[in-house]
Amino acid sequence: MGLIFNAVAGELPLVQRVWSASCDATTGFSSAVKSSTMIAFARGGDALTVHVKGPETRGTSMTCPEGSEFFGVELRLGAYLPLYPPSGLSDLRDALLPTLPGGRILLDNQGWEMPTAQNVEVFVDRLVRAGLLFFDPLVDEIRHGERPRGMSERIAQIRFRRAVGISHRKLASIEQARHAAQLLTAGRSITDVVAAGGYYDQSQLARAMRWATGHTPGELRSGIPFLAL
């Protein structure tokens, strides 16, 4: 069967979704652009590694090895770990958290119980309570074009980039491209997606899909094996 992927909406305010994946055969797939910080757990054989991941500003071809398992949380936009700023994690420059004997995670000089796919949100909640996972409430305002009262445009953009890891303009292009890719994989016509996605023409859509997913609009419509959105 290859790669099996599942995702559900998060139950905590700072969790966008909880996801898991496994591979019963080595499988290649495309990872599309993303804007949120993630905490991911990867198991290969007896080894379990813990990653803090930042935004991805281009589509990437990846491989899921046979027998590997993954799970994690995609955080709400504006939620991040100050110990690991998102700008330093972009484009697969993951922070690999140390693990201790017995499988505990070393974070902020403390040992944390390793979560499972079933209780990973409990782990996130504990990070929030310990002050290690922060949410900047001004991100939503800046994202929607509202500048906080008394804050200059420059300071607003610096604050946005600190919490998200990319500029407001880059975020907008990522969200636009992801929306278009979702429409194409659902079978919408290229002409419809140009209009619905806010692109000038088919050429601009094609360029956007290339950098965002690594595929052409036609390939997305025809059904590629797997696209991680």
Side-chain angles (χ1 to χ4, degrees):
M1 184 176 293
L3 190 153
I4 302 170
F5 181 84
N6 294 291
V8 297
E11 297 182 357
L12 296 178
L14 298 191
V15 176
Q16 184 72 23
R17 64 176 178 169
V18 179
W19 57 269
S20 62
S22 61
C23 286
D24 57 13
T26 298
T27 306
F29 67 96
S30 299
S31 178
V33 289
K34 298 175 180 63
S35 55
S36 299
T37 294
M38 283 194 269
I39 305 175
F41 303 81
R43 183 182 298 279
D46 295 329
L48 183 63
T49 54
V50 186
H51 305 249
V52 183
K53 304 175 71 67
E56 297 176 28
T57 63
R58 58 182 178 271
T60 308
S61 296
M62 306 185 77
T63 301
C64 183
E66 180 180 359
S68 57
E69 298 177 357
F70 307 87
F71 67 91
V73 290
E74 179 181 338
L75 300 175
R76 177 180 173 185
L77 194 73
Y80 66 103
L81 284 77
L83 291 172
Y84 302 98
S87 59
L89 306 173
S90 62
D91 295 321
L92 308 180
R93 293 179 294 170
D94 301 0
L96 187 63
L97 302 188
T99 54
L100 302 170
R104 295 174 70 82
I105 304 168
L106 181 62
L107 184 59
D108 196 35
N109 295 317
Q110 298 181 49
W112 295 73
E113 181 180 352
M114 184 73 70
T116 65
Q118 290 71 41
N119 68 8
V120 67
E121 285 192 279
V122 175
F123 175 72
V124 172
D125 188 50
R126 289 173 178 168
L127 294 180
V128 174
R129 294 175 184 273
L132 298 180
L133 179 59
F134 180 74
F135 174 70
D136 189 337
L138 294 184
V139 163
D140 280 342
E141 293 184 42
I142 300 170
R143 176 188 186 184
H144 293 104
E146 300 175 15
R147 193 169 68 211
R149 193 182 194 90
M151 183 177 290
S152 69
E153 180 67 26
R154 178 175 176 276
I155 295 301
Q157 288 301 321
I158 289 174
R159 184 157 175 171
F160 187 90
R161 187 182 287 272
R162 181 177 63 193
V164 180
I166 53 178
S167 69
H168 177 259
R169 178 176 295 181
K170 177 61 70 174
L171 171 68
S173 65
I174 287 175
E175 292 184 330
Q176 181 186 27
R178 285 176 61 87
H179 176 58
Q182 289 166 348
L183 293 176
L184 289 166
T185 56
R188 292 280 293 275
S189 73
I190 293 175
T191 302
D192 284 349
V193 175
V194 168
Y199 292 98
Y200 295 121
D201 52 29
Q202 293 188 18
S203 295
Q204 188 189 30
L205 174 66
R207 290 193 297 272
M209 293 303 95
R210 277 290 188 187
W211 72 259
T213 71
H215 294 277
T216 66
E219 288 170 340
L220 293 172
R221 287 193 74 244
S222 64
I224 59 174
F226 188 81
L227 174 65
L229 276 165

